[in-house]
Amino acid sequence: MPALPSRARLLRVAVATAALLVAFFAGGWLAAPPPPAPATAEATASATTAYTCSMHPQVRQAEPGACPLCGMDLIPAGDDSAAAPTEIRLSPRARALARLRTTTVRRQSDSAAELRLLGRIEPAETTRRNVTTWVAGRIDRLHLNTTGERVRKGQVIATLYSPEVYSAHQDLLTARAQVARLGAGAPAALAAAEGALRAARERLRLLGVPEAELAEMAQAREPARAIASRSPFSGTVIERSSTEGAYVDTGATLYRVADLRRLWVQLDAYESDLSQLAEGQPVELHVDALPGETITGRVAFVEPAVDPQRRTARVRVEVENTDGRLRPGMFAEAVVATSSAAETGAEAPLVVPATAPLFTGRRSLVYVETDGPRGPTYTPRSVRLGPRLGEVYPVVSGLSAGEVVVTRGAFVLDADLQIRGGPAMMQAPDDDAAAPALAPVPLAASERAALAPVLSAYLGIQTALADDALAPARQAATALQQAVAGVTFTGTAAAAWAPIAQALHTQATATATATDLEAARGAFEALSHATEQLLGRFGNPLDAPVQVAFCPMAKGNAGARWIQQGTTVDNAYFGAAMLTCGEIRATVAPGTHLDAIPAAPASADPHAGHDH
């Protein structure tokens, strides 16, 4: 049966081939993709949802993951957040939680606006007198030993030994004796003796001896060694200029006296305030020594020139002090009633409350409320403001009468708009943000030392804001105002210091009057910019180095710098929330100048090197 094995072999081959074909088709079916299922609403939503970072709203990604800037988990962004918003809409509940307050822009209708100035009480210049010696000699005794004593006209103030008076008195006595001896002699000799007597008397009179004493001296037996010096004025001794035993020349000043029944209050007015001041304006004065009392007066004189170093002009107010309760040297706060528009014939200006604008340097921003179909909306708007008038700012441009602005809660709105990626206050450049670096100004060591209190006060503000402490920040800002006012330069240094001083004073004032940390930090960025200019132009006046730090998340993620001491980042913009966020960009050694600060590193991660 030789065929059987051949058929069995063929059968086995056929079975194997069939198995291979089945396996091939089976494998192809198993590997084939399933038919596409209809797209669900959830899948469609996942494909179109954008993801963003809560700390960096500008980050937009189509898939969830980590923020490329800070590493935080991305969160879904709302459907309406694909584009940066330009306005804020709050529900009634959110509006109540934000404690928003608004007011209508109006024209100044008050009869006068208030201008507040600071000054010091001084003796009136018209009552100041110098009590001098009328002869040269040695001071044997001073009858007034301390300042503050009262002196009467004609009172003996000193006793002197004067060789010149002694000699003139001796001549007087000799001439008197000669006249007595020649009384019965020749008329010509008697006339000559009487002429010598008159000449001796006239000499003493010219030396300042009064007639009453001159008569006594003429009857004396021997010349007087001690001569009394009397005061020709009444008043209060404000300075003693000599001591017992000293030799003085004719006309030397022994005392300076002044009549304190009439005083001057010398107020310092910045040049921006001078347009609102004029002679005759009523003034109310308040001094700490008389709490609760108001002293009234009027502007008597406004200096026609501005101090080139301090950029201020003196404004004089004359006050009566018959009861003597006011004392020279006291500080006084003045409230000056400025002229109203009705008095000047001009149209009353538009005004907004002082709490409405937000400041970043010289730029001002307000939030305007607009009624919409779904409730009120709030939009930021840049405005130009004039100098502050009491509790209001005049509006130069940017607003119209009848518009409604936010007077409380503007920082809450700005923070919300910033988180949404909108054009918040800190994201727009200031007027002088692109100003080029200026050349250093050489200073003597003593001149640079005068800037030390300014930088120390700024560092006090920086430390307080990093500690989230508002009260110490305001106190340091007040110290900064005083330190800036105490710096005086001349020549090129004065011209360079003037704009820096004005910027420092403006932002220090904003910080000193801030009602919360957000307001204080809003002024701190411009304050830091002015301090950088100080370090760049005049150098580091301290005995220790200072560091320039940078946080890329400040100023609406545009980044902002500040000055601090120490190499550990001490973030004044965020405080305890992100105290070490940032990096040190530069170090300024004592006596050296700050060079140009490098921009953010040109890398894929602008936050590299700083800590959250």
Side-chain angles (χ1 to χ4, degrees):
M1 300 272 308
L4 290 175
S6 177
R7 283 199 290 272
R9 189 182 302 112
L10 292 174
L11 179 62
R12 288 195 295 269
V13 172
V15 172
T17 302
L20 290 173
L21 292 174
V22 170
F24 175 78
F25 287 108
W29 178 82
L30 290 174
T40 62
E42 182 178 356
T44 303
S46 299
T48 59
T49 298
Y51 292 84
T52 186
C53 176
S54 60
M55 297 302 298
H56 302 90
Q58 72 272 22
V59 173
R60 301 281 169 172
Q61 291 188 2
E63 298 177 355
C67 174
L69 301 181
C70 65
M72 298 178 64
D73 291 336
L74 299 180
I75 60 175
D79 293 338
D80 58 346
S81 62
T86 58
E87 61 182 27
I88 297 294
R89 180 180 290 106
L90 299 180
S91 65
R93 182 174 181 274
R95 192 177 189 277
L97 291 175
R99 293 181 165 183
L100 291 187
R101 296 290 185 273
T102 60
T103 190
T104 302
V105 179
R106 57 176 176 80
R107 296 197 177 275
Q108 176 71 4
S109 58
D110 299 335
S111 60
E114 294 181 350
L115 179 64
R116 295 183 178 272
L117 303 174
L118 295 178
R120 178 178 294 183
I121 299 176
E122 298 178 356
E125 290 183 2
T126 55
T127 66
R128 296 182 185 183
R129 300 287 188 272
N130 289 340
V131 179
T132 62
T133 57
W134 40 273
V135 292
R138 182 189 66 238
I139 301 176
D140 289 338
R141 181 184 177 189
L142 288 175
H143 295 266
L144 299 176
N145 295 317
T146 59
T147 59
E149 291 189 57
R150 292 278 302 169
V151 60
R152 302 181 309 275
K153 183 177 181 179
Q155 178 180 345
V156 177
I157 57 172
T159 302
L160 295 86
Y161 163 70
S162 173
E164 188 176 6
V165 174
Y166 183 86
S167 175
H169 193 189
Q170 180 66 57
D171 291 344
L172 175 66
L173 298 182
T174 301
R176 186 193 65 181
Q178 186 71 10
V179 170
R181 286 196 301 269
L182 298 176
L190 179 61
E194 291 177 345
L197 179 61
R198 288 193 298 271
R201 292 175 62 90
E202 185 63 22
R203 180 183 175 190
L204 286 172
R205 185 180 295 107
L206 293 177
L207 287 175
V209 178
E211 287 292 338
E213 292 187 15
L214 191 58
E216 295 179 1
M217 295 175 70
Q219 302 301 321
R221 293 187 176 182
E222 57 184 18
R225 298 182 56 86
I227 302 299
S229 180
R230 302 177 182 272
S231 172
F233 315 110
S234 297
T236 301
V237 177
I238 60 176
E239 182 183 347
R240 193 186 75 172
S241 304
S242 190
T243 56
E244 291 183 358
Y247 281 84
V248 293
D249 295 327
T250 302
T253 300
L254 298 180
Y255 302 95
R256 301 182 191 276
V257 300
D259 187 354
L260 301 186
R261 292 175 298 179
R262 189 172 186 83
L263 300 173
W264 285 0
V265 182
Q266 298 280 25
L267 306 174
D268 290 323
Y270 283 92
E271 51 188 318
S272 58
D273 299 330
L274 294 178
S275 60
Q276 308 169 50
L277 295 170
E279 295 182 9
Q281 288 174 308
V283 180
E284 293 183 354
L285 298 170
H286 305 274
V287 295
D288 292 340
L290 304 175
E293 295 190 29
T294 300
I295 303 169
T296 60
R298 289 188 176 274
V299 175
F301 181 72
V302 179
E303 283 190 349
V306 174
D307 187 298
Q309 283 81 35
R310 303 179 62 187
R311 310 307 304 168
T312 60
R314 288 287 188 91
V315 179
R316 182 198 311 159
V317 179
E318 297 181 0
V319 295
E320 298 294 335
N321 186 40
T322 54
D323 53 7
R325 294 192 298 169
L326 297 178
R327 303 172 187 271
M330 286 182 174
F331 285 103
E333 180 181 5
V335 180
V336 183
T338 60
S339 300
S340 65
E343 295 173 355
T344 60
E347 184 180 23
L350 295 174
V351 294
V352 294
T355 56
L358 306 178
F359 295 98
T360 57
R362 292 175 291 185
R363 185 169 54 85
S364 307
L365 180 145
V366 298
Y367 273 82
V368 180
E369 181 185 77
T370 306
D371 290 331
R374 293 191 296 169
T377 60
Y378 303 92
T379 307
R381 185 183 302 176
S382 294
V383 296
R384 289 182 59 198
L385 303 177
R388 181 168 176 169
L389 301 175
E391 299 302 319
V392 298
Y393 279 101
V395 179
V396 178
S397 64
L399 289 172
S400 302
E403 290 189 291
V404 179
V405 296
V406 176
T407 57
R408 178 177 177 180
F411 271 104
V412 176
L413 296 175
D414 195 78
D416 188 64
L417 189 61
Q418 178 178 333
I419 291 176
R420 296 171 185 264
M425 174 184 67
M426 290 298 184
Q427 291 178 326
D430 194 11
D431 295 344
D432 55 353
L438 299 176
V441 177
L443 290 179
S446 59
E447 292 178 317
R448 183 177 289 112
L451 295 172
V454 176
L455 185 55
S456 297
Y458 166 86
L459 293 173
I461 299 175
Q462 181 270 326
T463 302
L465 293 180
D467 293 338
D468 295 326
L470 177 60
R474 295 176 59 178
Q475 293 174 359
T478 302
L480 178 58
Q481 290 176 299
Q482 298 172 352
V484 170
V487 176
T488 56
F489 290 140
T490 58
T492 304
W497 171 245
I500 299 176
Q502 184 174 3
L504 289 172
H505 186 275
T506 299
Q507 300 309 320
T509 302
T511 306
T513 57
T515 57
D516 52 34
L517 284 171
E518 288 77 7
R521 285 168 174 153
F524 182 70
E525 194 275 333
L527 193 62
S528 299
H529 178 68
T531 306
E532 284 186 21
Q533 291 183 324
L534 183 152
L535 293 173
R537 303 222 69 183
F538 302 107
N540 179 7
L542 302 180
D543 295 330
V546 294
Q547 284 70 33
V548 181
F550 174 78
C551 176
M553 299 174 66
K555 198 178 177 183
N557 294 302
R561 297 189 293 265
W562 71 92
I563 315 299
Q564 66 170 55
Q565 286 187 311
T567 56
T568 301
V569 173
D570 200 25
N571 198 316
Y573 294 106
F574 294 104
M578 289 189 294
L579 185 61
T580 58
C581 177
E583 60 183 358
I584 300 299
R585 285 288 180 84
T587 298
V588 187
T592 63
H593 293 258
L594 174 64
D595 295 328
I597 301 297
S603 63
D605 185 1
H607 291 246
H610 79 277
D611 182 17
H612 290 285

